[in-house]
Amino acid sequence: MSRTRTERLVNLVICLLSTRRFLTAAQIAATVPGYEHDPSDPRDHEAFQRKFERDKAELRDLGVPLETGTASIFDQEPGYRIAQREYALPDILLEPDEAAAVGIAARLWQHAGLAAAASSGLAKLRAAGVEVDPQATLGVEPVVTVDPAFGPLTSAARERRAVTFKYRVPEVDEPSTRRLEPWGVVCWRGRWYVVGHDRDRDATRCFRLSRIVGDVRATGRGGAFEPPAGADLISHVARSSGPIARNGRATVTVRHGRAAGLRRLAADVAPGPDGDRLTIVYGDVDWLASRIAGYGPDARADGPPELRDAVIQHLKELITRHEVPAVTA
């Protein structure tokens, strides 16, 4: 199954889980990314109907309880929804390594942009007057923080192409240019790293993606190098990063029922009138700041000042990254 179709199916499931009423095919087409078409064009509309029928069959084959019905006796066109009571899973007990794999997959899902597309779809539903249950998506939350270098680096590693990028380290003011043969991108302690052969230093190096400044540029042809057989990328990152001293203590306010990821980090939770106050012990202020910024208006860093400043910086970088260039006449 192609990534485009997978994204469309995931967003279709989120859309149908997020409302208790039946949605018509026209409402789904106007909401779910991937179904855009011109209903007045017979050929375009027929292509949409074929795509939609294939996707419905795919969901049912996967065991998704897709229901067909109408919102009222006056409706002429059938609609669709997913029965939440039948779709919910029982408690699943995972071994530590299995839980780690699920966590990595979840972060990959977030970085792939699916959460943003899903949020857009839910906003369209609300704008159309469809009642949306925000708790029906089984804990899915929009995450706005992404490492722009993630996509280019994973593509370069897959194609065996060298890359060049600017890299910033805390003790140096100006970023330096690095030339790397990327072997792969891995997650370690909640951060993403690329590991590969540094051409300038003629040695194996790892780089944290959040410290890459600007664009990652692929150079040369594909298949230009071959990673060493059996290379353990996680172990290399673990040796390079060393232990983290968790001596920071943060106070974070989150909205009621939101920011589940931050709640899992909390050593203490105190209910309050404007939200829950979390106490989080941390070792890396930049990492925690990126997590808080990722929850947008659902989370606020109250202290210490270095954490507040780091969150503000992350939000400014996000605004800059997603600004739409002005159109000149």
Side-chain angles (χ1 to χ4, degrees):
M1 188 186 301
S2 69
R3 174 178 170 178
T4 300
R5 188 180 181 194
T6 301
E7 292 180 0
R8 188 174 68 242
L9 287 174
V10 169
N11 285 307
L12 176 59
V13 169
I14 292 174
C15 172
L16 297 179
L17 271 174
S18 300
T19 176
R20 293 184 175 87
R21 61 177 285 188
F22 290 98
L23 298 180
T24 66
Q27 290 173 315
I28 292 171
T31 303
V32 177
Y35 287 138
E36 299 86 352
H37 72 287
D38 182 2
S40 63
D41 185 334
R43 295 182 61 181
D44 199 20
H45 186 61
E46 183 181 352
F48 156 71
Q49 289 179 315
R50 289 197 302 268
K51 182 190 301 182
F52 186 47
E53 290 298 322
R54 287 195 303 268
D55 288 352
K56 287 192 298 179
E58 180 75 23
L59 291 183
R60 289 188 171 114
D61 288 343
L62 293 172
V64 177
L66 188 62
E67 293 183 336
T68 303
T70 56
S72 73
I73 60 174
F74 302 103
D75 290 339
Q76 300 295 320
E77 184 180 352
Y80 306 90
R81 70 182 182 189
I82 292 175
Q84 297 174 22
R85 63 187 181 279
E86 298 179 20
Y87 190 67
L89 292 172
D91 291 339
I92 300 175
L93 299 178
L94 299 176
E95 296 297 326
D97 57 340
E98 295 172 329
V102 171
I104 291 173
R107 283 190 287 272
L108 274 171
W109 182 87
Q110 294 166 350
H111 282 267
L114 291 176
S119 301
S120 173
L122 297 183
K124 291 180 181 179
L125 278 177
R126 294 189 184 96
V130 176
E131 181 182 357
V132 172
D133 181 1
Q135 304 303 320
T137 51
L138 305 182
V140 172
E141 294 179 340
V143 176
V144 296
T145 53
V146 295
D147 290 316
F150 182 89
L153 286 173
T154 53
S155 296
R158 185 171 57 250
E159 299 168 3
R160 306 289 187 252
R161 294 186 67 187
V163 295
T164 180
F165 53 82
K166 298 281 189 179
Y167 191 71
R168 181 187 68 246
V169 294
E171 59 271 16
V172 180
D173 293 334
E174 293 297 323
S176 59
T177 300
R178 302 298 180 95
R179 298 189 305 150
L180 185 74
E181 297 174 359
W183 299 341
V185 178
V186 294
C187 185
W188 172 250
R189 289 175 172 168
R191 309 179 193 92
W192 289 101
Y193 295 84
V194 59
V195 182
H197 178 73
D198 189 318
R199 288 184 168 179
D200 295 312
R201 291 155 181 79
D202 193 24
T204 302
R205 291 287 187 271
C206 67
F207 302 92
R208 192 194 300 185
L209 268 59
S210 62
R211 292 179 178 170
I212 293 178
V213 180
D215 296 332
V216 174
R217 186 168 58 89
T219 60
R221 58 178 180 82
F225 61 88
E226 190 66 30
D232 189 340
L233 306 187
I234 287 287
S235 294
H236 181 82
V237 174
R239 290 192 302 269
S240 301
S241 60
I244 296 177
R246 298 185 177 277
N247 49 18
R249 195 173 184 87
T251 302
V252 182
T253 300
V254 299
R255 290 181 176 176
H256 297 297
R258 306 300 295 168
L262 292 176
R263 293 174 184 274
R264 286 193 292 270
L265 299 174
D268 182 68
V269 179
D274 60 340
D276 297 330
R277 289 175 64 85
L278 313 181
T279 300
I280 300 175
V281 179
Y282 67 94
D284 187 320
V285 66
D286 187 65
W287 176 81
L288 182 57
S290 68
R291 299 275 294 192
I292 296 171
Y295 288 100
D298 290 333
R300 182 186 73 238
D302 299 320
E306 63 168 0
L307 178 62
R308 288 179 54 84
D309 293 343
V311 171
I312 292 171
Q313 183 60 36
H314 274 278
L315 293 173
K316 287 181 177 179
E317 291 176 359
L318 283 168
I319 293 172
T320 302
R321 189 180 304 157
H322 297 286
E323 277 182 342
V324 178
V327 178
T328 56

